[in-house]
């Protein structure tokens, strides 16, 4: 269990630092390149997310399979053949992605993106360069999935921290000293992406168990894992449709400037994933290991502990970002126009993303059991609701309409979707998940959050006062969640009892 704690800490540090590097420089990107160019950065993120469909669940499959194989004796050759098999497939897909985006760049520049300040030629070149960035970055998912499965998460996060620092600082220097253009932005991104992928490739192969027989592409390996991979492909497909429909529609419906406001709001909401990703990536391999050993009692305990840990981190962040979104945007960008246009969207997106994040532990449990059908069925029903409603509201109300649909969709997962899972896995644990894992930290955070929202309403004027006040409020909201969550409440009692005994 100590390794799990180390992995969680490493993932928090790695993900947190990468997010800081990403978020801290956004105002400078806008300052150097302009708001429309930043809209293209957001469009690039959407295209990159869509390219995840071509992952076909292979990175998650590698994660799960290596976690299982590492718990068994004499599986060195199987582990190496698994990586080589998926690697061959992945690099073939990589070349297709890069070429496809390059060929589509004229159409996207001329008929999809509604630019005003940027010329069509500049937009087309930027999209072509996006293809390079996405293609070079794509194999990183596979190699990082392998390191996660081997539970080499400290190593992986060392790579992430180093490369995200180089990416962010190097980008600012290039925009400042070389060329403040969107083309320069994507050229540097491409260089960092290929460097990061090659470094992760090297360390994954070095971390695999040694074998006297060379690794090779194995048809039998593929036949053994294809069902889980196909299920993950289905989950990836419907998840991408659900998570990217808003951005795809808005990139077509809205002027590039307004689309940039939506992407800024989405970037604020993505701050919640800083705490979601580390917990999920740490517990998923451990879930897979416990499932393979049929240790259900330990699995149940870990399920609730990890769910409560995620709640005590996600919910306070959600309350803070949603209630004080306008102040945070103003503090972050220094631009009252951006804050005014993006804060309502940001609040709705933050709540929706947080609800989605709370479902990550149940999802990790399903994947550990290899049960992919439930997520696919629920998401197909969700898509049938999402696409027509999203189109209508986004077309009429723009970003605000799209963000409301996102909130409603994820609320339905928490209220309805989780019930189906507990009819099959960890039966009888549903009400514990609601009452102990979710409701108690939710009440602790929201009560304090609304009190401070009333107290501080309209009082954030000076930048330094704003920063100090928001930090204080965030800490108090977190404490409200911390002291009401069973897991942390027990930790507090144990700590006090230990020191009281002294």
């Amino acid at each position: 269990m100590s390794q799990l704690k180390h992995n969680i800490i490493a993932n928090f540090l790695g993900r947190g630092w990468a997010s800081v590097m990403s978020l801290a420089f956004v105002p400078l990107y806008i300052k150097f390149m302009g708001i429309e160019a930043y809209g293209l950065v957001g469009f690039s993120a959407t295209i990159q997310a869509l390219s995840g469909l071509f992952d076909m669940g292979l990175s998650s499959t590698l994660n799960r399979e290596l976690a299982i194989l590492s718990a068994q004796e004499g599986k060195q050759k199987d582990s190496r053949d698994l990586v080589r098999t998926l690697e061959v497939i992945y690099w073939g897909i990589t070349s297709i992605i890069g070429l496809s985006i390059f060929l589509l760049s004229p159409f996207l520049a001329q008929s999809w993106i509604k630019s005003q300040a940027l010329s069509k030629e500049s937009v087309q070149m930027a999209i072509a360069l996006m293809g390079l960035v996405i293609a070079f970055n794509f194999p990183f998912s596979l190699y990082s999935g392998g390191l996660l499965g081997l539970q080499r998460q400290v190593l992986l996060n060392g790579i992430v921290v180093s490369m995200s620092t180089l990416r962010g600082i190097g980008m600012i220097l290039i925009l400042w000293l070389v060329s403040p253009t969107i083309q320069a932005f994507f050229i540097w991104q491409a260089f960092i992406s290929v460097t990061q992928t090659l470094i992760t490739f090297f360390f994954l192969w070095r971390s695999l168990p040694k074998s006297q027989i060379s690794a090779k592409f194995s048809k039998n390996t593929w036949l053994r894992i294809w069902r889980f991979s196909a299920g993950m492909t289905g989950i990836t497909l419907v998840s991408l449709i659900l998570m990217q429909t808003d951005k795809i529609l808005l990139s077509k419906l809205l002027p590039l400037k307004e689309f940039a406001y939506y992407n800024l709001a989405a970037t604020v909401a993505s701050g919640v994933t800083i705490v979601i990703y580390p917990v999920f990536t740490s517990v998923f391999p451990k879930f897979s290991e416990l499932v393979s050993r049929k240790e259900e009692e330990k699995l149940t305990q870990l399920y609730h502990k990890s769910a409560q840990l995620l709640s005590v981190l996600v919910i306070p962040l959600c309350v803070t970002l949603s209630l004080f979104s306008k102040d945070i945007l103003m503090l972050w960008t220094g631009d009252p126009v951006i804050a005014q246009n993006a804060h309502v969207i940001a609040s709705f997106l933050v709540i929706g993303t947080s609800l989605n994040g709370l479902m990550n532990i149940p999802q990790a449990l399903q994947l550990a059991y290899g049960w992919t059908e439930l997520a696919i069925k629920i998401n197909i029903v969700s898509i049938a609701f999402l696409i027509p409603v999203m189109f209508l509201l986004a077309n009429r109300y723009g970003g605000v309409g799209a963000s409301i649909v996102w909130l409603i969709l994820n609320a339905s997962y928490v209220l309805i979707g989780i019930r189906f899972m507990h009819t099959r896995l960890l039966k009888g644990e549903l009400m514990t998940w609601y009452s102990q894992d979710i409701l108690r930290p939710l009440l602790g955070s929201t009560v304090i959050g609304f009190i401070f929202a009333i107290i501080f309403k309209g009082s954030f004027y000076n930048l330094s006062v704003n920063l100090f006040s928001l930090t204080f409020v965030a800490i108090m909201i977190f404490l409200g969640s911390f002291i009401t969550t069973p897991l942390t409440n027990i930790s507090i009692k144990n700590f006090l009892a230990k020191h009281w005994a002294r």
Side-chain angles (χ1 to χ4, degrees), residues 2 54 82 222 238 249 359:
S2 61
F54 297 96
L82 173 66
W222 175 248
V238 293
L249 285 175
M359 293 296 294

Side-chain angles (χ1 to χ4, degrees), residues 329-489:
L329 279 163
M330 183 62 196
L331 179 64
W332 180 35
T333 66
D335 190 327
V337 176
I338 291 177
Q340 182 62 38
N341 282 280
H343 79 278
V344 174
I345 300 171
S347 294
F348 289 134
L349 290 179
V350 164
I351 298 172
T353 301
S354 300
L355 292 171
N356 185 279
L358 293 175
M359 293 296 294
N360 270 247
I361 300 303
Q363 183 183 22
L365 182 68
Q366 293 169 52
L367 297 182
Y369 274 99
W371 187 26
T372 58
E373 294 88 350
L374 177 62
I376 294 173
K377 290 177 181 178
I378 290 176
N379 286 339
I380 288 174
V381 173
S382 300
I383 289 171
F385 160 79
L386 175 73
I387 293 180
V389 175
M390 179 73 75
F391 180 81
L392 290 173
L393 292 186
N395 193 39
R396 184 166 184 177
Y397 301 108
V400 173
S403 63
I404 291 173
V405 178
W406 175 244
L407 190 160
I408 295 172
L409 179 68
N410 286 289
S412 69
Y413 290 157
V414 174
L415 296 174
I416 302 172
I418 186 70
R419 296 174 179 271
F420 293 103
M421 188 198 82
H422 279 294
T423 60
R424 175 170 169 179
L425 304 180
L426 303 187
K427 295 179 181 179
E429 300 298 327
L430 174 62
M431 293 313 299
T432 302
W433 186 83
Y434 274 129
S435 62
Q436 303 294 317
D437 303 349
I438 304 298
L439 186 59
R440 287 181 60 171
L442 177 63
L443 290 175
S445 287
T446 52
V447 170
I448 293 177
F450 277 108
I451 290 173
F452 279 109
I454 295 171
I455 293 173
F456 286 105
K457 184 177 182 180
S459 63
F460 293 136
Y461 300 110
N462 181 271
L463 185 62
S464 59
V465 173
N466 196 343
L467 179 60
F468 175 81
S469 300
L470 283 172
T471 302
F472 173 76
V473 169
I475 292 172
M476 296 306 295
I477 292 172
F478 171 76
L479 288 176
S481 175
F482 189 84
I483 63 177
T484 54
T485 303
L487 174 66
T488 50
N489 193 267

Side-chain angles (χ1 to χ4, degrees), residues 111-312:
S111 304
W112 194 270
I113 300 296
K114 297 180 179 180
S115 59
Q116 296 173 334
L118 295 174
S119 67
K120 297 295 184 182
E121 291 76 15
S122 295
V123 173
Q124 180 177 336
M125 184 179 294
I127 295 174
L129 289 169
M130 285 179 202
L132 287 178
V133 176
I134 294 168
F136 289 149
N137 194 58
F138 185 69
F140 172 73
S141 297
L142 180 72
Y143 296 129
S144 61
L147 289 176
L148 290 171
L150 293 172
Q151 301 198 49
R152 297 298 309 276
Q153 299 180 31
V154 175
L155 170 61
L156 176 60
N157 282 283
I159 297 171
V160 170
V161 166
S162 301
M163 298 312 300
S164 60
T165 302
L166 184 61
R167 185 190 301 270
I169 295 176
M171 181 62 68
I172 293 303
L173 292 175
I174 286 174
L175 294 177
W176 177 33
L177 301 174
V178 180
S179 175
T181 62
I182 190 65
Q183 291 83 2
F185 179 94
F186 284 120
I187 290 172
W188 180 250
Q189 291 279 7
F191 171 75
I192 294 297
S193 294
V194 70
T195 303
Q196 178 175 258
T197 294
L198 292 176
I199 290 173
T200 313
F201 156 83
F202 171 79
F203 279 108
L204 173 60
W205 278 101
R206 188 174 180 178
S207 300
L208 287 168
K210 305 300 179 185
S211 174
Q212 298 298 321
I213 305 174
S214 299
K216 63 179 182 180
F217 182 91
S218 172
K219 181 180 178 181
N220 289 334
T221 296
W222 175 248
L223 291 175
R224 179 172 60 83
I225 65 174
W226 78 269
R227 289 185 182 276
F228 180 77
S229 178
M232 287 303 303
T233 301
I235 291 176
T236 302
L237 172 61
V238 293
S239 296
L240 283 172
I241 294 173
L242 288 169
M243 299 190 73
Q244 301 300 325
T245 293
D246 56 343
K247 300 176 186 67
I248 295 170
L249 285 175
L250 294 175
S251 68
K252 175 64 175 176
L253 295 173
L254 299 181
L256 192 55
K257 186 175 182 179
E258 292 184 32
F259 180 63
Y261 292 142
Y262 187 87
N263 272 287
L264 277 168
T267 302
V268 173
S270 71
V272 179
T273 64
I274 295 173
V275 297
I276 297 171
Y277 176 84
V279 178
F280 176 86
T281 53
S282 298
V283 302
F284 174 47
K286 192 64 180 179
F287 279 179
S288 299
E289 180 184 328
L290 293 174
V291 168
S292 69
R293 293 178 175 174
K294 295 181 171 56
E295 298 181 7
E296 185 163 326
E297 184 177 349
K298 289 184 178 180
L299 182 63
T300 301
Q301 293 174 359
L302 181 59
Y303 174 74
H304 288 301
K305 286 181 179 180
S306 53
Q308 289 176 35
L309 174 61
L310 191 59
S311 292
V312 83

